[in-house]
Amino acid sequence: MASFARWCLVHRKAVLAVWLVALIGFFAVGQLVGASYSNSDSMPGTDSTQAQQVLSTHFPAQAGDSEQIVVQASHGTLRSPAAQTAVTSMLARVSKLPDVRSVASLFGPGGQISRDGTIGLATVNLNAQAQDIPNSAVTTLISTAKSADSPMLNVQLGGAAIENVAADGGNYTSVMLGIVAALVVLFFAFRRSVLAAVLPLISALVAIGAGLSIVTILTHAIAVASWVPYVAVIVSLGVGVDYALFIVSRHRSGLLAGQTPEDAAVTALNTSGRAVLLAGLTVCVALLGLFALQVSSLYGVAVTVALVVGLTMVASLTLLPAMLGFLGLKVLRRAERRMLVQQGRQVEQTGTFWLRWAEGLGRRPAIPAVLSLAVIAVLAIPVLSFRTGLLDSSTNPASSTSYQAYQLLAKGFGPGFNGPLDVVGQVNSPADQARFGAFVASARTQPGVAGVLSPVLSPDGKAEVAEVFPTTGPQEAATTTTLDRLRAGVPQAEAGSTLAIHIGGTTAINQDYSAVLSSKLPQFLAVVIGLSFLLLLVVFRSLLIPLTASILNLLSFGVALGVMTAAFQFGWGKSLLGFGAAGPIESWIPALMFAVLFGLSTDYEVFLVSRMHEEWTLTGDNKRAVVRGQAETGRVITAASMIMILVFAAFIYGGVITNQQIGLGFAAAIFVDAYIARTVLVPSVMHLLGRANWWLPAWLDRRLPRLHVEPAELAPAGPLRLPTGVGPHGQ
């Protein structure tokens, strides 16, 4: 690592040029080819996917996306002459927009008006799917429809394209808040040195920019949803700044100790750089472990986030030392440079807090262990009610047009109107049509069904579809029960009949997607925990240390899910976070979150226990090993984790609920992992276990490969003040 670091410093102009060429080149190619995002949440082989295939084959006119224009009469009804004139004129202007295929008027066969005549729905059929419609065209659609908004009429819009425009604005806000939060924390972490604070951000943002451009190109080869790049930015900004913090902090310490800029940078890469390399590779491997779920829609998530995280790691190990070489002593404040010139060296004072803390845990480890475990358990309790799903417009901010459109439709036509179930049948004979009609008629009498529209025959006469409206909203648990009940009542195929009935629609697709992911999550957790156990087993030559680390990974994950459940599913954070209505956790978030948290937790565990293991190897004294390991790593772990907590927390206030769930979940899990698990629970348990921490059967020790992970920023073993009464071979 030292020779590699020195090469980057000597050839810093070439390193910088390569990164700039890569950034500009990939950006240019990405702009040239454009993005081809795919937002399908369907699962191959599920009932809803089969229904969608029948609709695509026999109802080709429905290939484009559909948006909703919802109109409410503030006075009187929509059938009044003035209201009809205003609405008809507005819809005529909308129908002439370039990306609009057709508009079903409120007052025509395709339009719908509530029984009291105050709320109406006009469906706008677009020429393409939502992700393929430019934001500028959607903005024009919104402004054209809103032109009819007046004291007489309340006009709101909903649909996937409308949601995308609102989400893009919220995503940009979240990213900017994350950058500002990171910059502020780095400024104070580096004792108000502006250049030192900016360097980690530059390194992370250059890597993220190049990574997102590569992702744009990759969308033509693999399926990547349009929201994935924003998730990649959230994760990569947090870990990228964290990685650079390790290296720049170590570099500054070297300069203050009197090293030359080149030697300080080489030392930083040879120590902290090793931790960064381990952390980055671990996170990337864990993310690629999403392939174990065998859910094709998550393959793009795994590749995209792993790619951008991997590039931030590479930038920290190449671009960052090159920039350090250019700046020299300028990463220090002027006052620090003056003192360095006068004194020749200046050792940063770290204080004795962590030594005293570690000694205190060593004297009475049982009480802190029980208390910390109790805190974790309380925070994780809500996970017992944890439920996943795909969020709808009811969770959007109350001020958004999509939320208001959702509420107007629920008020005028019932909650289930926002997520109808499509009963689809392949019919090839009058007998098939009769059996399909009988099933639709029976659906009207089922509990949880508010109404059913009469079946519509496809143009080729080979398929029929009928819409079933539940009594409850799309993301409510009761709607899942209604869907299961309807599917259980689907008639079995009879001899000689070709009738096949499937139940689809957006609500059914979302339910099937969530069910498949939830069923495979335990398998994914087992694979990732198994890999973690094996890695720590090889590194520390112990059975109990990897076992406790695996349990702590699950506990931190449980806290993340528990906090998210309380805030979003119970609605406890509604007033603070500003989302519309309580709802489930987005289906794909738990798997992604565990993959990233696994990498981060493993990194903290290796960083902490490596120093303990080194001291144990030298002295055979468990208490001394645990105390020294915690004393020398506590400051670094808590400082690095604080950066990540604040960066992730910044995404809570962007107004996009998926970002809020990710931000709050990550921030809670990292806080518990760094400030409770690694600071209190792990050392306390290791004190209680004593020498058993390091036990490994001799036959297993002989068969395991050797893997030495050099810990970052560790001083050689020296005198350590031990608590009274502890001998050289204490517990």
Side-chain angles (χ1 to χ4, degrees), residues 515-558:
V516 172
L517 277 183
S518 297
S519 66
K520 293 188 175 184
L521 186 60
Q523 169 190 337
F524 174 67
L525 297 183
V527 170
V528 175
I529 288 293
L531 290 175
S532 172
F533 183 89
L534 291 175
L535 172 64
L536 297 178
L537 176 67
V538 172
V539 170
F540 298 123
R541 327 300 293 181
S542 162
L543 287 176
L544 288 181
I545 288 176
L547 178 61
T548 55
S550 299
I551 294 173
L552 283 175
N553 282 348
L554 286 174
L555 290 177
S556 297
F557 182 55

Side-chain angles (χ1 to χ4, degrees), residues 581-605:
I585 306 304
E586 191 80 12
S587 304
W588 50 267
I589 289 180
L592 173 68
M593 181 172 291
F594 187 76
V596 177
L597 288 177
F598 156 76
L600 297 176
S601 296
T602 301
D603 179 41
Y604 290 152
E605 180 76 6

Side-chain angles (χ1 to χ4, degrees), residues 460-512:
D460 61 7
K462 294 184 178 180
E464 282 190 282
V465 59
E467 286 191 317
V468 176
F469 297 97
T471 57
T472 50
Q475 61 187 22
E476 294 185 40
T479 304
T480 304
T481 302
T482 300
L483 174 62
D484 293 340
R485 186 182 295 113
L486 289 173
R487 283 175 170 168
V490 171
Q492 299 296 317
E494 295 182 353
S497 173
T498 57
L499 175 65
I501 298 177
H502 306 287
I503 301 180
T506 302
T507 299
I509 289 173
N510 292 349
Q511 297 292 352
D512 289 344

Side-chain angles (χ1 to χ4, degrees), residues 127-141:
N127 291 325
Q129 291 298 310
Q131 67 266 20
D132 299 322
I133 303 295
N135 282 356
S136 58
V138 180
T139 303
T140 302
L141 169 61

Side-chain angles (χ1 to χ4, degrees), residues 378-388 557-574 577 579 581-586 589-590 593 660-662 664-665 668:
V378 169
L379 292 174
I381 283 176
V383 79
L384 299 175
S385 302
F386 171 71
R387 184 169 64 89
T388 61
F557 182 55
V559 167
L561 297 185
V563 171
M564 292 163 64
T565 300
F568 298 100
Q569 191 174 314
F570 296 171
W572 293 356
K574 180 179 176 181
L577 301 177
F579 55 88
I585 306 304
E586 191 80 12
I589 289 180
M593 181 172 291
Q660 292 179 324
Q661 290 185 350
I662 293 173
L664 181 62

Side-chain angles (χ1 to χ4, degrees), residues 187-205:
F187 178 73
F188 288 104
F190 291 132
R191 303 179 187 276
R192 298 182 297 281
S193 172
V194 176
L195 288 177
V198 170
L199 278 183
L201 270 180
I202 293 176
S203 174
L205 292 177

